[in-house]
Amino acid sequence: MIFSTLEHILTHISFSMVSVVITLHLITLLANEIVGLYNSLEKGMIVTFFCITGLLVTRWVYWKHLPLSNLYESLIFLSWSFYFIHLIPYFFKKEKNSLSAITAPSAIFTQGFATSGLLTEMHQPAILVPALQSQWLMMHVSMMVFGYAALLCGSLLSVTLLIITFQKDIIRIVDKRRHLLNESFFFGEIQSINEKKSNIVQNTLPFYVRNYYRSQLIEQLNHWSYRVISLGFIFLTIGILSGAVWANEAWGSYWNWDPKETWAFITWTVFAIYLHIRTNKNFRSVSSAIVACIGFLIIWICYFGVNLLGIGLHSYGSFTLMLN
């Protein structure tokens, strides 16, 4: 009873803090110059991180196993991993960086989805199925989820890199569509006036200065994405290998081409290609970022999409959304 009450308290505190943090994060995106808001955002992230840590520890102590037995618990652990990755550069550098712009919203929205009413039936812990009653549960699942978290963060950094790299092309396409729309409503003259004003504002800053800051940002995104993805790839590799050993103990075979296993292998292959491309200096930036974007989609298929099928040896991880 005490553990259950403590769990509910920590859940509500963390969810309330997430709501506040989302608001602060949106404000900081609109007003980067307000340093106090950024510090408040980081403090809120720290409080939420410790609340989720307490929640996981409470479920672990009460049910005597690491809380990774269903989708709700794995999403909470995924959110905890995002918070952990987010806080590492903050504690070391004490300054804002490109990684925090990805990890903060990822952690917030993952936890928001996990604590929403869509997975209500999974909020209550249950006795582990026989296949999960093993010491390999902690090693395999924690490594896989933490690897997913790191790979998702690195992939999102690569997505941002591509958007900035092809920003001019994207703006050109959007402007063409907007121009056609305005012409259809006879607003062509007004649009041309607005375009002249925007060009005057943009030209106030020298081109070489804008290009320098843009190249610096791209280099920073490229730097962080490579290191985060490399870290995630290591954890993913450890998770797959430990899962193979566990599968041999539980099912008598190291590999069974289960849908979850197959997509995990596809994920590993895609990011192995990413790391291989990074060894070539001519393809380090855009080409590797495109591969990372493909990997981003495949991770969600492996982690979330396969669970929708509810088939295979990992069917105990399936779920049904509760839509009221």
Side-chain angles (χ1 to χ4, degrees), residues 190-203:
I190 298 176
Q191 176 67 17
S192 63
I193 295 173
N194 291 333
E195 287 179 354
K196 291 179 181 179
K197 290 181 179 179
S198 63
N199 290 332
I200 293 173
V201 174
Q202 290 179 0
N203 291 329

Side-chain angles (χ1 to χ4, degrees), residues 12 24 68 75 87-88 95 102 104 284 302:
H12 289 301
L24 291 176
L68 289 170
L75 280 172
L87 294 176
I88 291 176
E95 63 181 13
I102 298 298
R284 280 187 175 180
C302 177

Side-chain angles (χ1 to χ4, degrees), residues 116-121 321-324:
S116 65
L118 297 176
L119 303 173
T120 304
E121 63 178 7
L321 294 179
M322 301 297 292
L323 299 176
N324 295 325

Side-chain angles (χ1 to χ4, degrees), residues 158 225-226 229 270-278 288-289 291-292:
S158 295
S225 63
Y226 172 64
I229 287 177
V270 169
F271 285 101
I273 295 173
Y274 168 88
L275 295 175
H276 178 70
I277 292 176
R278 292 285 307 189
S288 60
V291 176

Side-chain angles (χ1 to χ4, degrees), residues 29-46:
L29 289 177
L30 298 175
N32 289 325
E33 68 276 3
I34 305 179
V35 180
L37 283 178
Y38 175 72
N39 293 332
S40 300
L41 168 65
E42 294 303 324
K43 291 177 181 178
M45 294 287 287
I46 293 172

Side-chain angles (χ1 to χ4, degrees), residues 30-310:
L30 298 175
N32 289 325
E33 68 276 3
I34 305 179
V35 180
L37 283 178
Y38 175 72
N39 293 332
S40 300
L41 168 65
E42 294 303 324
K43 291 177 181 178
M45 294 287 287
I46 293 172
V47 172
T48 309
F49 171 77
F50 283 110
C51 286
I52 296 179
T53 303
L55 173 63
L56 292 173
V57 171
T58 301
R59 294 175 75 96
W60 191 353
V61 172
Y62 185 69
W63 289 96
K64 296 180 176 57
H65 65 79
L66 189 67
L68 289 170
S69 60
N70 56 38
L71 184 66
Y72 166 73
E73 293 178 341
S74 68
L75 280 172
I76 291 294
F77 189 83
L78 180 66
S79 178
W80 180 89
S81 302
F82 283 134
Y83 282 111
F84 184 79
I85 296 172
H86 173 85
L87 294 176
I88 291 176
Y90 173 75
F91 281 123
F92 277 96
K93 293 190 175 181
K94 295 288 185 180
E95 63 181 13
K96 196 172 184 179
N97 56 72
S98 57
L99 183 61
S100 64
I102 298 298
T103 54
S106 299
I108 291 167
F109 289 113
T110 303
Q111 187 194 353
F113 176 75
T115 55
S116 65
L118 297 176
L119 303 173
T120 304
E121 63 178 7
M122 290 188 176
H123 286 197
Q124 294 298 325
I127 299 175
L128 288 177
V129 297
L132 296 179
Q133 295 177 6
S134 171
Q135 298 297 326
W136 287 103
L137 173 66
M138 181 189 303
M139 179 69 175
H140 170 61
V141 184
S142 62
M143 290 295 100
M144 292 295 294
V145 176
F146 199 81
Y148 288 153
L151 292 174
L152 286 170
C153 289
S155 299
L156 285 173
L157 289 171
S158 295
V159 172
T160 308
L161 186 151
L162 288 177
I163 292 174
I164 295 175
T165 302
F166 298 104
Q167 181 181 9
K168 292 182 180 179
D169 296 330
I170 296 173
I171 293 175
R172 191 180 299 113
I173 294 173
V174 173
D175 286 343
K176 284 183 179 180
R177 293 184 178 181
R178 187 186 302 168
H179 183 70
L180 292 174
L181 181 63
N182 288 332
E183 282 186 347
S184 63
F185 288 98
F186 304 101
F187 290 151
E189 185 176 351
I190 298 176
Q191 176 67 17
S192 63
I193 295 173
N194 291 333
E195 287 179 354
K196 291 179 181 179
K197 290 181 179 179
S198 63
N199 290 332
I200 293 173
V201 174
Q202 290 179 0
N203 291 329
T204 57
L205 190 64
F207 171 76
Y208 64 88
V209 175
R210 296 199 308 269
N211 192 50
Y212 171 77
Y213 284 114
R214 178 172 172 271
S215 62
Q216 286 293 105
L217 179 57
I218 291 175
E219 184 64 28
Q220 188 179 15
L221 289 170
N222 196 32
H223 168 85
W224 276 106
S225 63
Y226 172 64
R227 275 151 182 77
V228 176
I229 287 177
S230 298
L231 178 66
F233 184 79
I234 293 173
F235 283 113
L236 181 66
T237 303
I238 297 173
I240 291 176
L241 292 176
S242 60
V245 176
W246 186 10
N248 184 57
E249 291 185 0
W251 303 316
S253 175
Y254 286 100
W255 198 264
N256 299 280
W257 293 108
D258 176 73
K260 198 81 168 180
E261 295 176 352
T262 304
W263 280 102
F265 177 72
I266 294 173
T267 304
W268 185 91
T269 303
V270 169
F271 285 101
I273 295 173
Y274 168 88
L275 295 175
H276 178 70
I277 292 176
R278 292 285 307 189
T279 61
N280 191 327
K281 294 182 179 180
N282 298 326
F283 299 99
R284 280 187 175 180
S285 181
V286 176
S287 300
S288 60
I290 293 174
V291 176
C293 293
I294 297 173
F296 176 81
L297 298 175
I298 293 177
I299 289 173
W300 281 116
I301 294 174
C302 177
Y303 177 75
F304 198 78
V306 175
N307 289 42
L308 290 171
L309 300 176

